[in-house]
Amino acid sequence: FIERYDPQYVIILSGDQICKQDYSDFLRFHKEKGAEFSVAVMEVPWDEASRFGLMVADGDDRITEFQEKPKNPKSNLASMGIYIFNWDILKKYLIEDEADPNSENDFGNNIIPNLLKDGRKMYAYHFAGYWKDVGTIASLWEANMYIFDENWKIYSRNSGMTGHKIGSNAVVENSMITDGCRIDGSIKHSILFSGVRVEKGAKIEDAVVMGKTVIKAGAVVEHCIVAENVVIGENAVVGSMPKGEGHGVATIGSGITIGKGAKIGPNAMVNKNLEDGEEQW
């Protein structure tokens, strides 16, 4: 992508974030500063700062210090995991890092500290648009639930399925239902990927349900992420609506079968089949 502008620059994007950003503006900033390395940053709440790699910068946005997930943050400028390097600098430090047997081969723990140590020209690009770190289950759930924006449409690959069908006794409220879904139960504030089937009497609320999952009659699925090709049996209960601090997002792995009447707690991460009536908390 960046080669459309100038092949001497390389942009690196983190895989665990969702961002709406014009990279050409970021590149302009990098060039104007005469930077060798630039990182996109965003201010985060101070009580969340220790979850992130943090940049300490001066009045000219030049980076003077970097903290990787510190207990005592000196800054709330979180690295978004989006970098621009001059190619010669990136190449040099990657080669040196690969030759170091003690390196963790990590940008946050190795490359960026080495750049700082050598006094390289490093700058923080302040970003004020949409950015969501999805490095935790809760943040992934939240990003899916609140990403709808009329002015920023996200187009995915066409499933090739027919349109979704809502049954005569179904109830759908404040939800996104995609191609191929068959809904005969109750859906509230949820995201259903293509080909999901919800049988009569099933209830889904505050959930992200991925493609071709089947939720059978009488099942209750709340405040959770359900991966693709899952079968949730009749009258099973997966997750629950939040009831205070420490209440997590239940997750069901791909291809899992949850037996009839099984119960899955709000913090459970299910990666194996559950038998009829079995519980996991």
Side-chain angles (χ1 to χ4, degrees):
F1 169 83
I2 208 70
E3 289 184 0
R4 289 191 297 175
Y5 297 96
D6 193 328
Q8 71 180 3
Y9 302 107
V10 176
I11 188 167
I12 297 175
L13 310 178
S14 169
D16 61 352
Q17 46 103 359
I18 299 171
C19 182
K20 181 184 179 184
Q21 183 175 357
D22 182 350
Y23 299 125
S24 63
D25 187 64
F26 185 15
L27 180 60
R28 176 196 54 76
F29 168 90
H30 180 85
K31 289 180 175 181
E32 288 178 355
K33 291 293 186 182
E36 295 173 305
F37 165 84
S38 296
V39 56
V41 298
M42 177 174 274
E43 291 189 8
V44 296
W46 279 95
D47 59 353
E48 295 182 18
S50 59
R51 282 206 304 121
F52 300 92
L54 303 172
M55 301 293 168
V56 181
D58 64 17
D60 190 41
D61 296 323
R62 184 157 183 169
I63 297 166
T64 59
E65 189 175 345
F66 172 69
Q67 295 181 293
E68 177 68 4
K69 300 180 180 178
K71 290 183 179 179
N72 300 301
K74 295 182 181 180
S75 165
N76 69 335
L77 292 179
S79 167
M80 295 166 57
I82 301 176
Y83 313 127
I84 293 179
F85 280 89
N86 291 0
W87 166 236
D88 58 340
I89 296 297
L90 177 60
K91 182 178 179 180
K92 167 183 166 61
Y93 282 84
L94 286 178
I95 290 171
E96 291 177 357
D97 185 73
E98 181 64 22
D100 181 0
N102 298 314
S103 175
E104 299 174 48
N105 304 126
D106 182 81
F107 277 101
N109 290 327
N110 304 110
I111 301 294
I112 294 175
N114 286 339
L115 291 166
L116 269 170
K117 182 182 67 176
D118 292 347
R120 292 294 181 180
K121 297 176 183 177
M122 306 170 65
Y123 286 86
Y125 169 78
H126 294 254
F127 179 68
Y130 182 89
W131 175 70
K132 184 70 177 177
D133 172 71
V134 290
T136 66
I137 294 295
S139 62
L140 176 62
W141 173 87
E142 186 177 351
N144 275 276
M145 296 301 297
Y146 297 101
I147 202 169
F148 185 79
D149 183 346
E150 285 285 4
N151 299 314
W152 181 34
K153 295 179 174 64
I154 296 177
Y155 297 96
S156 58
R157 182 180 298 170
N158 192 307
S159 68
M161 296 182 177
T162 59
H164 58 264
K165 181 179 179 182
I166 310 297
S168 58
N169 295 313
V171 176
V172 178
E173 179 181 340
N174 189 27
S175 297
M176 292 179 65
I177 313 296
T178 50
D179 294 350
C181 290
R182 299 291 180 263
I183 311 300
D184 289 297
S186 171
I187 316 293
K188 183 177 180 181
H189 192 231
S190 294
I191 309 293
L192 271 59
F193 286 50
S194 58
V196 171
R197 182 155 53 92
V198 181
E199 294 185 355
K200 186 176 180 180
K203 175 187 175 185
I204 302 175
E205 184 170 358
D206 265 9
V208 177
V209 183
M210 297 185 187
K212 298 184 179 179
T213 283
V214 176
I215 299 173
K216 295 199 169 182
V220 177
V221 177
E222 298 179 323
H223 199 68
C224 63
I225 299 174
V226 181
E228 64 277 358
N229 299 308
V230 170
V231 176
I232 297 177
E234 294 176 6
N235 301 313
V237 175
V238 176
S240 64
M241 296 301 291
K243 297 170 184 172
E245 266 186 60
H247 192 109
V249 178
T251 58
I252 312 296
S254 177
I256 297 297
T257 297
I258 305 300
K260 295 180 182 178
K263 293 185 178 180
I264 296 168
N267 295 296
M269 298 182 69
V270 181
N271 54 20
K272 64 180 183 63
N273 294 341
L274 266 62
E275 301 294 332
D276 294 353
E278 189 176 352
E279 298 186 5
Q280 181 171 331
W281 296 87

